[in-house]
């Protein structure tokens, strides 16, 4: 996400490297490169120009502290302005009504159905909501079945009427069903429509009037770039939606829609989707997105993702095992599964400052832990609990059973043992300086 834009912006700011102060000449040169980078990333021209003009005006005449380099100051100004451009802060999502109704709208193929499931799962697991998915796409043959599959996958009921071709009637009956069954969040999945299709646009307007939803979300494929912004503008004129959802941010997107849409449409981006998994949904935080675009990572989101699966009791038990050097392959497998829940390795890496850039050209498969999991799953229960007993013949059997080479099994066992030693040292030390010294000692051992 935003790899090309981040690289271009970084190159643009290098114009100021070595400069003693910000001047009208050097900031103008930098901002010209920044504007080009934004336009190439499919940012609306007027938005790009407004952004660079504002940054230039704020930068010229700034007193640069001796401890801050001109480049760092300009990046800070650009970061703050970029965050403001995208909305400043996360927009509120209103689910305060006794039965909150969310109406989904958007083009065909934008990912509405999948996102409806993600939204239901998020608020069910994080806020204890009792959602209902309502299937109002009566035109696409497999639409209802797709929503049922999604509902089954996340454990959320789906309301549909196979013999009815009236989306408004289905939606109203769905809301009545929710109220009768003590369900307090209704997500209405509508048919994809083209902005030029007057009959379909009128239909979604009728749904809005009949339902009076708390939230109307416009779902748009971020890979369509500037077209996404133009389409959002057209839909907003008819629907006056409450917020935008950007899907497919994990694809080969140039990022223009995320930067432009707030200014052009004057409606906030509320959520982003990045992947097919039902957990691949995030609240849109403009400041964090500005961090990512400028290559600063996004540690806050990474910590939040980790905390979603955090269990304090399990963490204490794990710490005790580490202290007693009892951390075993079952524990290791459990940690791998937790990491996988957080998203792809590249997505996680992009949230750590500098790491995303360092591995951007590294080929990482869809399942980077595949061989490790295969090796662990080929061990017996006793072997997983007691890694020390895995010697010659056992290692050969594990390699055969996992479809890997003996060298891979040996390498994993060696790395696992080194990791256990480090964990034991870290867990037994309360002093952070002691932990750092221990880590450095382990690094020196590995270099030998």
């Amino acid at each position: 996400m935003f790899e090309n834009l981040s690289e271009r912006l970084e190159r643009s700011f290098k114009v100021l490297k070595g400069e003693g102060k910000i001047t009208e000449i050097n900031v103008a040169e930098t901002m010209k490169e920044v504007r080009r980078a934004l336009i190439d990333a499919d940012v609306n021209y007027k938005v790009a120009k407004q952004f660079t003009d504002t940054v230039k005006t704020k930068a010229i005449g700034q007193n640069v502290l001796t401890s801050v380099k001109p480049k760092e100051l300009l990046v800070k100004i650009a970061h703050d302005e970029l965050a403001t451009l995208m909305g400043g802060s996360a927009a509120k999502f209103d689910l305060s009504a006794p039965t909150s109704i969310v109406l989904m709208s958007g083009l065909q193929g934008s990912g509405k159905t999948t996102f409806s499931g993600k939204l239901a799962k998020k608020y069910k697991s994080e806020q204890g909501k009792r959602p209902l998915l309502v299937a109002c796409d009566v035109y696409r043959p497999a639409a209802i079945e797709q929503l049922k599959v999604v509902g089954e996958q996340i454990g959320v009921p789906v309301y549909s009427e196979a013999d009815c071709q009236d989306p408004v009637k289905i939606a109203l009956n769905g809301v009545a069903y929710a109220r009768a069954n003590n369900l307090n969040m209704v997500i209405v999945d509508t048919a994809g429509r083209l902005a030029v299709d007057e009959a379909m646009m009128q239909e979604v307007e009728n749904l809005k009037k009949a339902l009076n939803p708390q939230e109307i979300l416009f779902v748009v494929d971020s890979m369509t770039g500037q077209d996404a912004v133009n389409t959002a503008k057209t839909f907003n004129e008819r629907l006056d939606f409450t917020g935008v959802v950007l899907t497919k941010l994990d694809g080969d997107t140039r990022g223009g829609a995320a930067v432009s849409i707030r200014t052009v449409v004057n409606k906030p981006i509320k959520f982003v989707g990045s992947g097919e998994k039902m957990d691949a949904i995030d609240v849109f935080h403009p400041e964090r997105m500005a961090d990512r675009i400028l290559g600063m990572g996004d540690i806050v989101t990474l910590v939040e993702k980790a905390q979603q699966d955090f269990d304090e009791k399990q963490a204490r038990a794990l710490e005790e095992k580490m202290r007693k050097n009892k951390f075993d392959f079952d524990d290791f497998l459990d940690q791998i599964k937790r990491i996988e829940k957080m998203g792809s390795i590249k997505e996680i890496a992009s949230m750590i400052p500098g790491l995303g850039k360092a591995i951007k050209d590294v080929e990482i498969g869809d399942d980077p832990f595949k061989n490790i999991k295969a090796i662990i799953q080929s061990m017996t229960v006793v072997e997983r609990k007691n890694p020390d007993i895995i010697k010659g013949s056992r290692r050969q059997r594990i390699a055969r059973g996992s479809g890997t080479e003996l060298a891979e099994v040996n390498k994993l066992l060696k790395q696992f043992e080194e990791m256990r030693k480090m964990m034991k040292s870290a867990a037994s030390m309360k002093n952070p300086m002691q932990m750092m010294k221990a880590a450095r000692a382990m690094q020196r051992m590995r270099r030998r």
Side-chain angles (χ1 to χ4, degrees):
M1 181 167 59
F2 303 120
E3 268 183 17
N4 292 336
L5 178 57
S6 298
E7 285 179 21
R8 286 287 302 277
L9 290 176
E10 187 178 351
R11 287 202 297 272
S12 302
F13 289 121
K14 278 183 179 175
V15 173
L16 279 174
K17 193 174 182 181
E19 295 282 347
K21 63 179 181 177
I22 290 176
T23 67
E24 190 163 351
I25 293 171
N26 61 29
V27 80
E29 189 181 348
T30 302
M31 285 300 106
K32 186 166 73 173
E33 289 301 314
V34 168
R35 186 162 60 247
R36 282 179 185 155
L38 291 170
I39 291 168
D40 286 347
D42 225 359
V43 173
N44 177 280
Y45 175 79
K46 287 182 180 178
V47 173
K49 189 174 187 308
Q50 177 192 324
F51 169 76
T52 50
D53 287 350
T54 304
V55 173
K56 181 181 172 183
T57 301
K58 288 185 176 181
I60 292 171
Q62 283 262 14
N63 291 322
V64 182
L65 301 172
T66 53
S67 59
V68 180
K69 295 173 184 175
K71 176 190 167 185
E72 292 168 350
L73 179 61
L74 191 61
V75 169
K76 170 69 168 66
I77 295 168
H79 172 275
D80 292 347
E81 193 56 35
L82 197 55
T84 301
L85 194 69
M86 293 187 289
S89 59
K92 184 186 175 187
F93 187 60
D94 184 12
L95 294 178
S96 57
T99 305
S100 299
I101 302 170
V102 182
L103 179 64
M104 311 298 289
S105 65
L107 293 180
Q108 295 167 345
S110 60
K112 289 188 306 303
T113 301
T114 301
F115 189 82
S116 296
K118 290 180 181 182
L119 194 65
K121 184 178 188 297
K122 177 180 176 65
Y123 283 91
K124 177 187 175 186
S125 59
E126 292 180 14
Q127 294 192 14
K129 290 289 181 181
R130 299 180 299 281
L132 174 72
L133 293 166
V134 180
C136 286
D137 183 351
V138 297
Y139 307 103
R140 188 162 57 93
I144 296 173
E145 193 55 40
Q146 183 189 353
L147 194 64
K148 285 180 178 178
V149 169
V150 167
E152 189 176 347
Q153 192 178 341
I154 60 174
V156 168
V158 175
Y159 182 86
S160 65
E161 295 183 21
D163 299 326
C164 183
Q165 293 295 301
D166 183 353
V168 174
K169 184 180 177 183
I170 295 169
L172 288 170
N173 288 345
V175 172
Y177 176 88
R179 287 175 175 146
N181 288 275
N182 198 30
L183 302 171
N184 57 11
M185 180 182 184
V186 179
I187 300 170
V188 181
D189 182 33
T190 66
R193 59 206 71 233
L194 300 173
V196 293
D197 190 330
E198 177 58 31
M200 293 292 280
M201 290 301 288
Q202 187 59 53
E203 179 184 280
V204 78
E205 277 190 66
N206 293 341
L207 277 163
K208 176 189 173 181
K209 287 174 186 173
L211 296 171
N212 191 24
Q214 280 66 50
E215 292 281 352
I216 304 171
L217 296 180
F218 175 70
V219 183
V220 63
D221 180 344
S222 60
M223 293 175 72
T224 57
Q226 196 52 44
D227 286 342
V229 180
N230 296 333
T231 308
K233 192 175 178 183
T234 306
F235 266 76
N236 191 50
E237 287 166 0
R238 298 291 296 266
L239 273 182
D240 189 26
F241 52 70
T242 58
V244 177
V245 174
L246 286 179
T247 60
K248 306 179 188 177
L249 268 178
D250 56 323
D252 185 21
T253 175
R254 289 178 286 175
V259 177
S260 307
I261 209 161
R262 176 68 172 82
T263 301
V264 175
V265 186
N266 196 29
K267 289 293 169 68
I269 302 170
K270 293 202 172 183
F271 299 97
V272 292
S274 54
E276 289 298 314
K277 290 182 179 178
M278 288 295 117
D279 294 313
I281 171 177
D282 289 305
V283 171
F284 184 79
H285 292 272
E287 281 204 354
R288 299 183 197 178
M289 194 57 71
D291 284 344
R292 289 204 207 184
I293 290 171
L294 291 172
M296 299 172 182
D298 186 0
I299 292 295
V300 178
T301 297
L302 181 61
V303 170
E304 284 179 354
K305 282 179 175 288
Q307 285 179 330
Q308 283 173 12
D309 198 41
F310 178 78
D311 184 300
E312 195 173 343
K313 188 177 178 182
Q314 285 181 332
R316 280 199 297 267
L318 190 62
E319 184 186 352
E320 186 64 23
K321 287 186 111 180
M322 286 159 56
R323 188 178 287 113
K324 294 178 179 178
N325 204 28
K326 296 290 186 182
F327 184 83
D328 60 35
F329 274 113
D330 282 327
D331 300 316
F332 189 38
L333 195 60
D334 182 57
Q335 296 311 305
I336 288 174
K337 288 174 181 175
R338 289 174 189 271
I339 291 170
E340 288 178 324
K341 272 188 178 181
M342 291 167 62
S344 72
I345 295 299
K346 281 212 168 184
E347 185 190 355
I348 295 169
S350 73
M351 298 178 194
I352 302 171
L355 185 56
K357 182 183 171 186
I359 69 163
K360 72 180 182 67
D361 294 323
V362 177
E363 276 297 320
I364 298 177
D366 293 336
D367 189 357
F369 298 111
K370 182 180 177 181
N371 283 3
I372 293 175
K373 289 188 291 187
I375 290 169
I376 296 172
Q377 286 161 352
S378 293
M379 297 175 185
T380 65
V381 174
V382 174
E383 287 168 344
R384 287 191 207 181
K385 295 289 182 191
N386 304 278
D388 295 336
I389 69 170
I390 306 175
K391 304 300 181 187
S393 61
R394 290 178 184 265
R395 294 185 182 203
Q396 289 174 347
R397 191 204 77 247
I398 290 167
R400 286 196 303 272
S402 60
T404 60
E405 298 293 327
L406 180 60
E408 281 188 80
V409 176
N410 290 337
K411 183 180 177 183
L412 175 61
L413 288 164
K414 183 180 178 183
Q415 289 175 335
F416 181 77
E417 187 52 39
E418 287 179 353
M419 183 181 68
R420 284 215 300 179
K421 287 175 184 174
M422 287 178 66
M423 284 179 162
K424 184 182 179 184
S425 298
S428 61
M429 295 176 187
K430 300 294 183 186
N431 188 330
M433 291 302 293
Q434 283 182 293
M435 291 172 70
M436 287 172 66
K437 286 177 184 176
R440 289 195 195 105
M442 290 305 301
Q443 286 173 342
R444 285 196 294 274
M445 283 171 63
R446 284 203 296 274
R447 282 199 288 269
R448 292 192 198 117

